[in-house]
Amino acid sequence: MTLAIEKVGSALVVSPRGQINSANAAAVESELLSHVDNGERKLVLDLSGLDYISSAGLRVMLLVAKRLKQQAGALALCGIQPHVREVFDISGFLAILTVVESRGDALALMD
């Protein structure tokens, strides 16, 4: 699992590659929350390279979304692969998180 991180305009774009599971969820959580704690308020998670997400990974998404909301920030997810999208759908997360198709759409929400 790797996290590619880049600043695009006012947004921080984080692109996980591989899997977010119980073995690495804590590290992903720590990395994402450290950016929020250091002042990032607009976060785009480009999940196009994510092959799998476990319930531990879903928990990370929820924690990051809540922390950003508390800080008057915004989180958008994009590029979700069909099999990963199904996990978000079944868990009900598609209804509570901002999910768009493309990175461009997500960045447009951050302006």
Side-chain angles (χ1 to χ4, degrees), residues 85-100:
R85 186 180 196 94
E86 190 175 330
V87 174
F88 277 88
D89 188 26
I90 290 169
S91 67
F93 278 44
L94 288 182
I96 58 174
L97 297 175
T98 302
V99 179
V100 295

Side-chain angles (χ1 to χ4, degrees), residues 92-111:
F93 278 44
L94 288 182
I96 58 174
L97 297 175
T98 302
V99 179
V100 295
E101 289 301 313
S102 71
R103 180 186 282 215
D105 292 342
L107 289 169
L109 292 174
M110 299 298 156
D111 289 338

Side-chain angles (χ1 to χ4, degrees), residues 20-65:
I20 300 177
N21 54 39
S22 58
N24 61 21
V28 173
E29 176 184 327
S30 176
E31 177 77 20
L32 294 176
L33 290 179
S34 73
H35 289 289
V36 175
D37 292 343
N38 287 328
E40 293 295 341
R41 294 296 172 260
K42 297 177 180 179
L43 189 62
V44 172
L45 289 177
D46 181 346
L47 304 182
S48 58
L50 192 67
D51 303 322
Y52 172 82
I53 189 164
S54 71
S55 59
L58 289 173
R59 180 183 162 278
V60 170
M61 302 291 163
L62 194 58
L63 283 172
V64 171

Side-chain angles (χ1 to χ4, degrees), residues 63-77:
L63 283 172
V64 171
K66 284 183 175 182
R67 180 76 57 93
L68 280 165
K69 188 173 183 178
Q70 291 169 349
Q71 306 283 341
L75 172 69
L77 284 68

